[in-house]
Amino acid sequence: MKISYNWLKEYIDLDIPADELAEKIERSSVEVDSVIKPSDGLKKIVVGKIVEMENHPDSDHLHICQVDVGEDEPVQIVCGAPNAQVGKNVITALSGARVADNMKIKKSKMRGIQSNGMLCALDEIGYPKDVVPKEWADGIYFLPEDATLGDDVYKYLGMDDALIDLDVTPNRGDMLSIYGTVHDLAAIYNKPAKFDLDKVSETSDKLTSDQIQSDVNDEIAWTYLNRVVNDVEVKPSPLWMQVRLWNAGIKPVNNIVDITNYSMLKFGQPMHAYDLDKLSGKVSVRYANDGEKITTLDENEVELDSNDLVVADDNGPIAMAGVIGGMDSSITADTKNVLFECAIFDPIKVRKMARKHVIHTEASQRFERGVDPMAVEDVLSSASEMAREIANGSVTNDVLVGSKYEAKKAVIEISVARINHVLGMELSAQEVIDIFERLGFEVKATGDDLVVTIPTRRGDIHIQADLIEEVARIYGYDNLPSTLPTTTMTTGGLNEEQQLIRDSRHILEGLGLTHAISYALTTEEKAKMFMMGESAQTDLSYPMSSDHTTLRMNLVSGLLDDIAYNKARKVDNVALYEQGRVFHKDNEDVVKPDEIEHLAGAMTGSLVDNSWNQPAKNVDFFQIKGIVNEYLETIGLNGEISYVSNASYPEMHPGRTADIFVHGHYVGFVGQVHPKIAKQFKINETYVFDLNLQTIIDLPKKEQSYELVSKYPSIKRDIAMLIDKNIENDSIVKVIEKRGGAYLVDVKLFDLYEGEHVPEDKKSLAYSLTFQNKHDTLVDDDVNNVMDKVQRNLEKEFNVEIR
Amino acid sequence: MSLKDDLTKLRDDGIAQINQATDVNEITKEIKVNLLGKKGPITQALRGIKDLPVEKRPEVGSYANEIRDEIQNALDAKLKELEDKALEEQLVAEKIDVTLPSTPVAKGHPHVIQSIIDEICDMFMGMGYEVKSGPEVEEDKYNFEMMNLPKDHPARDMQDTFYITKEILMRTQTSPMQARTLEKHDFSKGPLKMISPGVVYRRDTDDPTHSHQFHQVEGIVIDKNITMGDLKGTLEYLLHQLFGNKYDIRLRPSYFPFTEPSVEADVTCFKCDGKGCDVCKHSGWIEVLGAGMVHPNVLKMAGVDADVYGGFAFGLGPDRFAMLKYGVEDIRDFYLNDVRFLSQFN
Ligand SMILES: [Zn+2]
């Protein structure tokens, strides 16, 4: 709510700059979004009087006006406003003026005629179009007749006021009014709030109940009161009232409607006014019937259902209760008799209705937060009195009571010790009592024990903690001590699983991969790719966008999205990893998926850029395999790591993908993304891996150990062979290891050749075998025997030709 | 000429020849072989000793050995001189332009949000907090109800939620970890000091300041004598560590259903040092986190005696921290993973 500083000052003595006040409000009550002085940025905009006017010779709508701005000579201004009129005081932007949007006004010629300024409409000096009264929407604005010519216009239009825009939290509905704000400031500054209520003069000799009857469901309207004002003159409200409305962002409509809005701003109590003569039968407050319709004040037709709340007459709804009034019963220029409504509607029901129909109004936001139940009748009477004064109406006798609940003031017992215990302070009982009394709370003290009675305007205070907050904020958080918790010793730290996850990230970063964080919500199609096992999918019931409908069941597709994003920006070398959760369910009936930690990587282009001394090398299967392997080795899994070709992942290259096993446990896969999938993602050749990190976490780890480096020399022997193309390295190595005897310590492939001089179905492989006896010097004969055995077995098993 | 004179001449000529040599090969392959080889004059001379009278043999023999050593020394000295010279030439020839670019090395980078989370966790672990992570797919019960947000609570409107079913949702905050840990904690074994980082989700349209996925770090301390002053001190410590000691911190009242009193903490705007600018909406302050004293309802619902135990909780957004700290203008940059963006952080 935009609070007018000038308005506040009517009820409390404040003599500090608006910025300072805003800072204080922010530190003590609610957030302040902005402090604005509407005249800021405007310059040389003065009161002028059109003293002469003639038509422009070359235009059918421009006028040449002579405008008296209090100088010796009038200023000539060409003006196109249809309502320009001799004798009116108008907003005159002189040459050199600054108007809205920082526009500068200069002397110029308009169709050949000299124009030395501009006559302005309200929106041209900065008022948003939606607060400009309808009668001024299409023309220049007329200032009061007694305005002094040549004066700045700001004070006449309330533009010299400071407007403090409060961002009110859901608990502080009281701050959505001048009344509540004044009371809070009174407590903060320890000054009295001078707030008097108007007493109503029931000038009519009629009884309210003779003119209207009501039938109220008090489940909907806890309090529902009406008054009638007869014989009103509907016209624009006085300028001072219009100023207060438009400075608060509310468009002035007519005096009756303006009174309801003015009352709402002043007291925080929403009101509504109906044209009594347009109602038939009695007024009822009830649930809507399914399919019932209402055309609201903003000319929208709304279809209602039985959860909606309406005020109705015998013909149907005349308002969506607590949210917005209906068009048909609204106040018009012809209205003679007014029915004012002042009520408390159920906050939750109002909130649901406003939310469902997406109609959030000044009224609904106040009802949702709660209004002061004890002020309802006073506000109704005050508004009726205003209608008597500014619309010349006569107020009928008595308030028509449809429902009324007697609000109970909250009574809270609390000790000063408790307050000090929670805040970590040493306030005296008197200091605490002072704060409560400044807030308008009644306190009965028995030594340290206080019984505090809360006024109904502070409906947010129910429990001790609420009172403690009041003490803290009024005493000031700046004055709170700064300490650290003193408890018995706790150790803290990461557990093994958290440490492993952190280590995993560091290892992959060390190997050249950059940490990516992608979206866990993706499309159904991408969620289901690169699956490492069967799983049902988990969908959002109301997704926000078609790109994010389903929880991912793999990390790879998100990384491919990242690579695509990079490629679209001409970045072709990408090496990313991601650590995060995938969401798996055994079947459709499970509602809450298992969240499994995964670790995945994706690489395309080259890991290291091309440079003057080293050409770039594009990533291939063996490079990413090397990275995965190094990761698995470094993380210290206990057991052999093996890779088994798997052609069955639909999204992976069938000939270039391997499952990864650690000690026989499947932990993930590594390989090239299927070219069709790469094309679909619009990316280049890409290699990926995805590991079930939970499995890795659960697998046993090696104890860190070391073996003495042998002082005896080792012997190296090479063996080269011609072998069928389809026989895998792993099976050859297995035979070598099996037959290599106790002293074989290493088998290393050092050459692979296919092509010229090798038959088409064959390949040439060469291995280097290292033998070592840790306790003695090996002799050639030992090694020769073993090499013979290896050779014989290779020949037997694979029909190799040793070369 | 006596054999001795021959030897003397041999030495003088040999040393002269050595001194003139300019090449290592010349010395090792020619001069050395010529002078000291098996067929060389010294060897010959030594063989000639047997023809001398017996009494002369020792003198001449030792003279010959002396001369052989002299020649050998001259050879060694010359050889060393030539080798030194050759090395010097080699070093000169090997000079490189050390300003040429280095050979590129593969290097990965941590994600900036992860770095901030790690930094926060490390800080709190040092103060004895344990780290816990909770489910991203959460029950309405923990995400809202046990956080004092019953079904019709207006504050639910502040957090648009992705529901999976009526009761299952993507967590909108890390706060449910307060309820989950409170429910399990055995206070007879000591206080609860916990920090919980993680991913959260909101039903928002992605734009420069909103992301449907972002991160939070939740913290909670519950014991018998935890005060709001402790909260203030803890937040000041955290924020000074993260943003630097020169910045002021202010607490101001706010509202969260799960804390009472509730506060928000602001830090002096780093862009304008508090003078007011576009970043801080001309207030000089930047909001960085929400906190408060845990609401007694939250304690009670988790089965904790709110008359005996109490404490504080806070929640902060690493995404926002990263945006503020590094001036990142679009939150989506954290999740689109342009490597040119990611690799700026170490
Ligand atoms: Zn700033």
Side-chain angles (χ1 to χ4, degrees), chain A residues 565-566 569-571, chain B residues 337-345:
Chain A
Y565 183 79
N566 278 282
R569 276 151 196 79
K570 309 258 182 284
V571 180
Chain B
N337 301 306
D338 185 322
V339 291
R340 293 166 303 180
F341 174 81
L342 297 177
S343 58
Q344 291 178 49
F345 303 98

Side-chain angles (χ1 to χ4, degrees), chain A residues 271-414:
Chain A
M271 284 188 70
H272 192 65
Y274 303 94
D275 185 330
L276 183 62
D277 300 319
K278 289 181 191 156
L279 305 183
S280 62
K282 63 177 185 300
V283 168
S284 57
V285 179
R286 59 170 170 83
Y287 289 106
N289 300 319
D290 280 325
E292 228 172 357
K293 284 178 181 155
I294 182 171
T295 302
T296 56
L297 274 173
D298 52 2
E299 297 176 45
N300 289 316
E301 193 183 78
V302 179
E303 190 173 324
L304 305 166
D305 66 43
S306 59
N307 291 317
D308 292 327
L309 321 174
V310 293
V311 180
D313 68 1
D314 290 357
N315 292 334
I318 55 173
M320 292 171 74
V323 177
I324 192 167
M327 189 74 189
D328 294 344
S329 59
S330 64
I331 306 295
T332 66
D334 303 326
T335 299
K336 289 281 164 268
N337 299 300
V338 172
L339 177 72
F340 279 126
E341 164 195 287
C342 213
I344 294 179
F345 297 105
D346 183 295
I348 291 171
K349 294 189 172 83
V350 168
R351 172 177 157 258
K352 283 185 173 168
M353 178 160 68
R355 224 171 124 72
K356 183 173 68 191
H357 296 289
V358 200
I359 307 176
H360 297 282
T361 59
E362 295 280 346
S364 71
Q365 65 155 322
R366 285 176 173 82
F367 282 125
E368 285 172 30
R369 286 171 162 86
V371 297
D372 181 356
M374 285 195 180
V376 187
E377 187 172 337
D378 290 340
V379 175
L380 177 64
S381 298
S382 160
S384 304
E385 175 65 9
M386 257 188 283
R388 191 185 67 76
E389 283 171 4
I390 68 171
N392 300 323
S394 58
V395 181
T396 58
N397 280 286
D398 282 347
V399 171
L400 180 70
V401 179
S403 63
K404 191 170 190 177
Y405 92 105
E406 291 305 325
K408 270 206 199 120
K409 291 181 178 178
V411 178
I412 304 165
E413 292 177 21
I414 194 165

